[in-house]
Amino acid sequence: MLTNWPTAAWLPILLLIGSNVFMTFAWYGHLRYKSSALLTAILVSWLIALPEYILQVPANRYGHDYYSAAQLKTLQEIITLSVFCIFSVTYLGESLRWNHLVAFLFIAAAAYFMFLPTK
């Protein structure tokens, strides 16, 4: 399937997935270590966020050749929610409830409209 897609279409998606994995750990990974000092959590989060930016900036730079900025942002949000679902269940041990899934489905449905042809 991806072989029919131009590199400009799928490369930004792959970079955004990697970027969001790092950012999810930077934003939420410290929740498993609440006994550590807040300053430590902030500094470690910054260190984790650096690779996120190294992936995110090229994702948007290259992606803007194929997608509009609004489409890139929509892709990023869908990827963020997908990565977060996996992270919250596997790393934080939280469960996804039906209302979370319904809310995420509505966001995914909104993304459908973002990618409809405008002409």
Side-chain angles (χ1 to χ4, degrees):
M1 180 178 156
L2 287 181
T3 56
N4 294 334
W5 263 16
T7 302
W10 59 263
L11 180 61
I13 293 170
L14 293 177
L15 290 170
L16 285 172
I17 290 169
S19 164
N20 275 278
V21 168
F22 280 105
M23 192 48 103
T24 300
F25 273 96
W27 282 15
Y28 301 102
H30 61 88
L31 296 178
R32 278 183 52 177
Y33 305 99
K34 291 183 181 179
S35 63
S36 65
L38 181 58
L39 182 59
T40 301
I42 291 169
L43 293 175
V44 170
S45 292
W46 273 7
L47 289 174
I48 295 170
L50 178 61
E52 185 272 339
Y53 278 93
I54 291 170
L55 295 171
Q56 177 267 334
V57 171
N60 286 322
R61 178 76 59 99
Y62 299 146
H64 198 245
D65 290 339
Y66 190 83
Y67 301 106
S68 70
Q71 288 174 327
L72 281 168
K73 182 60 179 171
T74 302
L75 282 170
Q76 186 270 329
E77 293 299 335
I78 296 300
I79 292 167
T80 296
L81 287 173
S82 301
V83 168
F84 182 78
C85 285
I86 295 167
F87 175 86
S88 66
V89 170
T90 60
Y91 187 79
L92 294 178
E94 297 183 358
S95 60
L96 291 176
R97 296 189 300 265
W98 71 268
N99 58 323
H100 299 149
L101 297 175
V102 170
F104 294 161
L105 285 174
F106 276 117
I107 294 169
Y112 167 79
F113 290 99
M114 180 60 69
F115 289 91
L116 285 177
T118 58
K119 295 181 182 181

